[in-house]
Amino acid sequence: MLKKRIIPCLDIKNGRVVKGIQFEGLKDAGNPLELAQFYSENGADELVFLDISATLENRKTLADLVDQIAKKLSIPFTVGGGINSVADAKIMVQNGADKVSINSAAIKNPALISDLAKEFGSQFVVVAIDIKLVDNDWFVFVKGGTEQTDWKALDWAKKVTELGAGEILLTSMNNDGEKKGFALEITNQISEAISIPVIASGGAGSADDFAELFQKTQASAGLAASIFHYNEVAIPDLKNYLKTKNIPIR
């Protein structure tokens, strides 16, 4: 059995880490460089950096900030936000990204997934899928969660797998920031239906939420932001707790 990963996420806006609830009401959560270094030194398995306003504002991810963060890390580093082409991805690689995450751009141009996989290898391509429950069905949303698409979550997850994605970052907008646990049913449905790892995101509020995620779904990793940023749950403590539950952890 593959060991499960614990991944903090830095949502970046205007050069600062921010956190909201259901993608709204963003509040400042700290300095990205300080947080990145802290996580690298304190047991995080990977780090995800999402420039959450890049797509909405039609500008490129902050390459300089990516470079500064990468220099402080000794763990894999995924960067997303406003990456619309292989050329954009190359800039991130040159600035220290190990993987890139694409979201709205993949919906707009699904071939981009295959192009990136061809250029860098599948393991480099993370497709972020933001989903929301609408009339009892999970739909994919884009543009920072502001626009609903016609894609149902499971169908899009299968499609991106076919196109060559190496991993899916699945965020439930309904659960995001609520700290009441992950969206277990849809996470399991998707992780069982596809052959690539699923990182579950949205809803972590306690160590128990991670235990439940790994016991009740096939998710490969759990991602969280505010509970780590505000030190409500320390990653070393979380990992020790999960080991007591016989969950294989890195």
Side-chain angles (χ1 to χ4, degrees):
M1 190 190 221
L2 282 176
K3 290 186 175 179
K4 307 297 187 183
R5 291 168 291 151
I6 304 298
I7 305 175
C9 180
L10 305 180
D11 292 319
I12 306 284
K13 188 169 187 181
N14 302 325
R16 295 287 294 177
V17 178
V18 294
K19 193 66 197 97
I21 294 175
Q22 296 188 359
F23 287 35
E24 292 177 355
L26 300 176
K27 290 179 182 167
D28 190 273
N31 179 310
L33 291 169
E34 289 170 6
L35 283 168
Q37 186 164 1
F38 175 79
Y39 291 135
S40 185
E41 293 168 356
N42 285 273
D45 296 307
E46 298 186 19
L47 185 70
V48 171
F49 168 111
L50 298 175
D51 187 7
I52 59 171
S53 51
T55 304
L56 276 177
E57 294 166 13
N58 292 320
R59 70 178 158 69
K60 302 306 174 202
T61 310
L62 309 168
D64 287 347
L65 185 55
V66 169
D67 178 53
Q68 290 170 47
I69 290 174
K71 285 174 176 154
K72 294 190 176 290
L73 296 181
S74 55
I75 53 175
F77 185 29
T78 300
V79 176
I83 294 167
N84 295 301
S85 65
V86 171
D88 289 344
K90 277 184 177 162
I91 292 168
M92 292 307 124
V93 173
Q94 286 157 3
N95 283 280
D98 298 295
K99 306 184 219 179
V100 295
S101 166
I102 55 173
N103 187 334
S104 303
I107 291 272
K108 200 167 150 189
N109 174 23
L112 178 60
I113 299 168
S114 307
D115 292 345
L116 288 169
K118 239 172 260 166
E119 181 73 30
F120 302 103
S122 279
Q123 80 292 336
F124 174 83
V125 187
V126 180
V127 176
I129 305 181
D130 295 336
I131 61 171
K132 193 174 186 180
L133 202 51
V134 180
D135 298 328
N136 292 320
D137 225 324
W138 290 94
F139 282 89
V140 177
F141 278 66
V142 290
K143 295 187 179 170
T146 59
E147 194 176 290
Q148 184 178 343
T149 71
D150 293 331
W151 280 100
K152 289 187 178 177
L154 183 60
D155 295 338
W156 180 234
K158 287 177 178 174
K159 182 69 177 172
V160 306
T161 304
E162 282 167 27
L163 290 167
E167 199 162 31
I168 284 173
L169 170 54
L170 184 71
T171 301
S172 161
M173 292 173 62
N174 298 72
N175 299 59
D176 178 70
E178 295 286 350
K179 299 187 183 178
K180 293 173 184 168
F182 295 92
L184 299 174
E185 198 176 325
I186 186 65
T187 299
N188 195 48
Q189 205 181 352
I190 288 173
S191 52
E192 282 191 333
I194 61 175
S195 56
I196 60 175
V198 172
I199 303 168
S201 163
S206 68
D208 281 324
D209 291 336
F210 283 91
E212 205 173 20
L213 172 72
F214 296 137
Q215 287 165 340
K216 295 185 176 177
T217 82
Q218 297 298 308
S220 302
L223 178 144
S226 56
I227 62 163
F228 296 147
H229 301 340
Y230 301 127
N231 217 15
E232 291 163 26
V233 175
I235 293 175
D237 295 344
L238 171 59
K239 287 188 164 185
N240 287 334
Y241 175 73
L242 293 174
K243 284 173 185 167
T244 69
K245 298 279 186 185
N246 296 318
I247 294 165
I249 289 292
R250 287 194 181 181

